[in-house]
Amino acid sequence: MQPKDIVAQFIADIRAQRLEEAKALLAAEGFEYVGPNMRFLSRDDMLAYQFGMFAIQKDLVLRQLSADGEHVFAILDYRTYFEPIGDVRLAVWFRVREDKIQCVETFYNAAVIENMLGGSMPSAKADPI
């Protein structure tokens, strides 16, 4: 599969809340997730956080997906049931190596999420940046 196809499948799996299928597309060793205010060095930790967000996930709309070699870029609308945050626009940069997503870097307005969580981001499973 091409990197763009791998990322498209990953996004579809997250949208459908199929964590095991999504996990299979992530590198088991050397995985890294970087967000505006959190970092995960384990695919399990990142997916555990994502699982917690499923309660408010109404939809995940893929607006654009483009690739340049192993680099894949996505623009997404994360639609929620949670009125205080509403919908969040995400820009996501993926790096795919050896048919696995090695790195995910997400860009969004982190203040909205921090306010939703009462000003504190998860720390037990994340290293602050």
Side-chain angles (χ1 to χ4, degrees):
M1 254 203 294
Q2 294 296 315
K4 186 175 178 179
D5 299 325
I6 292 168
V7 170
Q9 185 60 55
F10 176 78
I11 292 168
D13 289 340
I14 293 296
R15 180 176 188 242
Q17 301 183 8
R18 297 185 300 251
L19 284 182
E20 286 304 312
E21 290 88 341
K23 180 179 176 177
L25 298 169
L26 302 174
E29 298 294 323
F31 174 80
E32 180 179 29
Y33 169 88
V34 179
N37 50 8
M38 69 181 71
R39 181 176 180 210
F40 298 106
L41 298 176
S42 156
R43 66 184 185 173
D44 292 321
D45 290 346
M46 188 207 65
L47 290 173
Y49 176 74
Q50 183 62 46
F51 178 76
M53 298 299 286
F54 282 162
I56 65 166
Q57 179 181 313
K58 183 188 307 183
D59 200 3
L60 185 62
V61 178
L62 178 61
R63 298 181 64 201
Q64 182 168 341
L65 189 65
S66 59
D68 182 10
E70 69 180 17
H71 302 276
V72 181
F73 307 91
I75 303 296
L76 304 160
D77 286 333
Y78 187 80
R79 297 190 177 155
T80 77
Y81 292 108
F82 195 69
E83 286 297 319
I85 65 170
D87 299 338
V88 178
R89 181 156 299 146
L90 307 170
V92 189
W93 172 28
F94 298 86
R95 282 193 313 261
V96 179
R97 293 189 182 125
E98 299 176 8
D99 292 330
K100 297 289 182 184
I101 298 169
Q102 190 74 39
C103 183
V104 179
E105 191 165 349
T106 305
F107 305 88
Y108 59 88
N109 181 355
V112 173
I113 307 300
E114 285 184 14
N115 288 339
M116 176 191 76
L117 297 173
S120 64
M121 294 303 291
S123 59
K125 297 184 186 295
D127 296 324
I129 292 182

